[in-house]
């Protein structure tokens, strides 16, 4: 969320309002246009306020054409109705809304079963506002468990967390906010995510855990979680260090269980202590809902769970946020109930099919080189071919935006800052027909791009659409 520093009052303009927006008298009801950056002196009619806000929002991009975001942009009307009916329920008030709390508990149990917890009945978890909050909670649990094991040295010793340089920015925030050293495994050559052995070599007695990403936001690839756990098993045999793993499955934890059933990445691996996912990504729910689960009660220190008397009842809670609507949790339960395993499998397979087919179309154009093909997450990344010098990925992104497509262009992190790519996220609702239109628009742009004397984007930082 952007941090607002406010807007100067000097030269403040007022909104221009169409006289027709007045509910009765086009002159009398619209005598004064409301200001933009301070509260108006008088109220205006609800129909007028609605139309003023709606007009301004027309300038936003079309969410369905936003191929930068992983976040769900389409749900069934029935889900929307349920969400509207539950938006006034405070999710944190479990005593007042016990059935909403029960639906949250059922979702946790369903995810524990889906992720092969040793005993789904004893796995613990909670809903969050998204996977970023879930990652913060998982990191807090890792740090607290490490601090308890090292009570004779902490707080003198500084804890560290090992992860790939490709992690989502929430992990950098966690390390900053909770004073944990971030130890990053850099990219090397054609490896765009964490290397298990390199991660193990960065661990020491102050390592609270290692984060593995099931579905990198940079290119859609799965990190090898089983190999990571094996490398840490070897570390324990050599040194006695017993380092837990957290799996950031923001996207992949809702894809792999349905499409990659033989892939071992979850609680089947004893070293995996916790897993998070975004319900509002491939969980197929509107933002914002996420989930954090721990293998068992021992993995989540009890002292982190607050039990408070709130609005009439004893309420255990583990969250950074407090009051929030129950609508998204209800929508998650609706989607689990509506689709089941076979329905999720069909939806995710359709998204993967669109991704792999579109990646093939892009490769066939001859101007681009694929880094990934959409055969893990339904996401693929590509860059310009070595012989293409007239334009770059930032030019492609800018020109596609002219047709309404939001396709991010961005530069990779350390050791591959030389590599700039485009990334396409194929979500539910991005159909084969829409993919065909994107491929046609891209092909239509190529003659103009090829005639450029050189790449035209001067400020690549301003050009990128990649912020998450």
């Amino acid at each position: 969320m952007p941090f607002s520093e406010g807007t100067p009052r000097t030269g403040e303009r007022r909104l221009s309002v169409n006289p027709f927006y007045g509910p009765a008298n086009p002159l009398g009801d619209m005598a004064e246009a409301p200001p933009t950056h301070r509260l108006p002196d008088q109220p205006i009619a609800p129909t007028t306020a609605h139309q003023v806000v709606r007009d301004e929002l027309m300038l936003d991009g079309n969410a369905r054409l936003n191929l930068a975001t992983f976040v769900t942009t389409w749900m069934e009307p029935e889900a929307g109705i349920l969400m509207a009916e539950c938006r006034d329920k405070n999710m944190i008030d479990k005593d007042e809304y016990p059935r909403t709390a029960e639906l949250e508990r059922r979702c946790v149990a369903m995810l524990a079963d889906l992720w092969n917890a040793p005993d789904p009945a004893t796995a613990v978890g909670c809903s969050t506002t998204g996977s970023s909050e879930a990652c913060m909670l998982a990191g807090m649990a890792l740090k607290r468990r490490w601090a308890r094991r090292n009570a004779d040295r902490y707080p003198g010793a500084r804890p560290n967390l090992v992860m790939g340089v490709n992690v989502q920015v929430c992990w950098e925030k966690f390390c900053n906010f909770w004073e944990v050293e971030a130890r990053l495994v850099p990219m090397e050559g054609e490896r765009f995510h964490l290397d298990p052995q390199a991660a193990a070599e960065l661990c020491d007695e102050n390592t609270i855990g290692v984060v593995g990403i099931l579905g990198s936001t940079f290119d859609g690839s799965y990190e090898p979680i089983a190999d990571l756990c094996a490398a840490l098993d070897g570390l324990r045999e050599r040194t006695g260090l017993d380092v837990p793993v957290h799996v950031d499955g923001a996207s992949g934890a809702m894809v792999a269980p349905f499409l990659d059933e033989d892939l071992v990445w979850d609680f089947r691996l004893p070293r995996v202590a916790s897993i998070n996912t975004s319900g509002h990504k491939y969980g197929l729910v509107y933002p914002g809902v996420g989930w954090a689960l721990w293998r068992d009660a021992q993995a989540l220190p009890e002292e982190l769970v607050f039990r408070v008397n709130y609005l009439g009842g004893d309420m255990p809670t583990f969250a950074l946020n407090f009051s929030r609507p129950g609508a998204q949790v209800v929508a998650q339960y609706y989607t689990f109930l509506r689709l089941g395993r076979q329905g999720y499998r069909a939806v995710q397979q359709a998204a993967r099919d669109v991704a792999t087919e579109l990646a093939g179309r892009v490769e066939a154009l001859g101007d681009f080189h694929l880094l990934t093909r959409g055969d893990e997450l339904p996401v693929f990344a590509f860059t310009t071919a070595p012989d293409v010098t007239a334009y770059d990925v930032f030019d492609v992104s800018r020109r596609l935006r002219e047709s309404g497509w939001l396709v991010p262009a961005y530069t990779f992190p350390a050791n591959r800052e030389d590599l700039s790519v485009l990334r396409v996220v194929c979500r539910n609702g991005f159909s084969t027909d829409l993919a065909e239109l994107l491929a046609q628009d891209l092909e239509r742009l190529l003659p103009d791009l090829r005639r450029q004397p050189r790449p035209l984007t001067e400020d690549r930082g301003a050009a990128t659409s990649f912020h998450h």
Side-chain angles (χ1 to χ4, degrees), residues 367 388-392 395-396 398-399 402-403 441-456:
D367 283 37
V388 173
T389 58
Y391 65 91
D392 60 17
D395 291 324
V396 176
R398 186 185 66 254
R399 291 298 304 275
E402 294 171 4
S403 299
D441 283 344
L442 179 57
E443 186 172 9
R444 191 178 301 118
L445 290 174
L446 287 182
D448 281 347
L449 290 170
R450 291 165 180 160
R451 284 194 292 268
Q452 290 183 179
R454 56 177 175 77
L456 301 180

Side-chain angles (χ1 to χ4, degrees), residues 57-94:
L57 290 176
M58 287 193 302
L59 296 176
D60 274 346
N62 185 330
R64 293 283 296 280
L65 301 183
N66 182 0
L67 303 182
T69 182
F70 287 77
V71 173
T72 296
T73 55
W74 182 88
M75 289 189 76
E76 293 174 312
E78 291 82 358
I81 293 170
L82 277 174
M83 294 182 75
E85 292 172 346
C86 296
R87 62 191 172 196
D88 60 342
K89 296 183 179 181
N90 190 352
M91 188 66 235
I92 207 67
D93 186 5
K94 294 176 170 58

Side-chain angles (χ1 to χ4, degrees), residues 197-265:
Q197 196 56 47
E201 291 171 1
L202 288 177
C203 295
D204 59 23
E205 67 276 8
N206 294 327
T207 302
I208 65 174
V210 180
V211 177
I213 311 293
L214 196 71
S216 172
T217 58
F218 277 91
D219 63 358
S221 63
Y222 293 159
E223 290 191 333
I225 306 298
D227 292 345
L228 172 62
C229 289
L232 294 174
D233 289 342
L235 178 69
R236 181 183 58 188
E237 293 172 3
R238 294 191 306 273
T239 67
L241 294 175
D242 195 9
V243 180
V245 168
H246 172 77
V247 178
D248 182 349
S251 294
M254 292 305 298
V255 174
F258 306 109
L259 302 186
D260 308 296
E261 295 180 79
D262 294 333
L263 181 67
V264 179
W265 62 273

Side-chain angles (χ1 to χ4, degrees), residues 92-371:
I92 207 67
D93 186 5
K94 294 176 170 58
D95 182 67
E96 190 69 22
Y97 305 113
R99 300 322 301 169
T100 304
E102 169 61 15
L103 297 190
E104 179 188 33
R105 190 192 67 80
R106 293 180 190 177
C107 287
V108 168
M110 290 176 176
L111 289 170
D113 177 66
L114 185 68
W115 296 338
N116 296 291
D119 181 2
T122 63
V124 293
C126 60
S127 66
T128 64
T129 56
S131 56
S132 293
E133 183 188 3
C135 290
M136 298 281 180
L137 298 180
M140 288 167 59
L142 289 174
K143 182 180 179 182
R144 183 59 61 90
R145 289 174 62 195
W146 171 85
R148 287 198 316 195
R149 294 193 305 269
N150 294 273
D152 58 328
R153 300 189 306 114
Y154 183 73
R158 186 186 183 191
N160 66 73
L161 182 67
V162 174
M163 50 197 168
V165 71
N166 58 304
V167 291
Q168 210 263 4
V169 69
C170 70
W171 288 107
E172 299 176 40
K173 290 182 178 179
F174 165 77
C175 290
N176 187 1
F177 296 165
W178 274 272
E179 298 181 322
V180 173
E181 177 192 356
R183 293 188 174 179
L184 301 176
V185 178
M187 295 180 178
E188 294 289 349
E190 297 303 305
R191 175 180 57 76
F192 304 121
H193 55 226
L194 174 146
D195 174 72
Q197 196 56 47
E201 291 171 1
L202 288 177
C203 295
D204 59 23
E205 67 276 8
N206 294 327
T207 302
I208 65 174
V210 180
V211 177
I213 311 293
L214 196 71
S216 172
T217 58
F218 277 91
D219 63 358
S221 63
Y222 293 159
E223 290 191 333
I225 306 298
D227 292 345
L228 172 62
C229 289
L232 294 174
D233 289 342
L235 178 69
R236 181 183 58 188
E237 293 172 3
R238 294 191 306 273
T239 67
L241 294 175
D242 195 9
V243 180
V245 168
H246 172 77
V247 178
D248 182 349
S251 294
M254 292 305 298
V255 174
F258 306 109
L259 302 186
D260 308 296
E261 295 180 79
D262 294 333
L263 181 67
V264 179
W265 62 273
D266 52 18
F267 289 124
R268 287 171 288 184
L269 297 166
R271 194 163 292 282
V272 173
S274 50
I275 301 172
N276 72 274
T277 197
S278 288
H280 60 228
K281 292 182 180 175
Y282 287 97
L284 308 180
V285 175
Y286 286 139
V289 61
W291 300 93
L293 268 69
W294 288 264
R295 168 179 293 276
D296 49 38
Q298 286 69 43
L300 176 60
E302 173 63 25
E303 63 266 27
L304 292 178
V305 180
F306 281 76
R307 299 182 181 277
V308 297
N309 188 327
Y310 184 72
L311 298 182
D314 178 72
M315 180 194 67
T317 177
F318 183 38
L320 299 179
N321 294 282
F322 210 60
S323 294
R324 56 187 170 91
Q328 285 81 2
V329 168
V330 170
Q332 184 73 84
Y333 182 71
Y334 164 85
T335 307
F336 284 167
L337 189 67
R338 165 80 171 89
L339 291 178
R341 284 181 179 257
Q342 293 301 325
Y344 262 96
R345 182 172 293 113
V347 170
Q348 311 299 37
Q349 185 63 59
R352 181 178 282 181
D353 289 345
V354 170
T356 55
E357 291 170 12
L358 182 57
R361 287 286 303 273
V362 170
E363 184 177 43
L365 294 173
D367 283 37
F368 303 104
H369 166 67
L370 293 179
L371 276 67

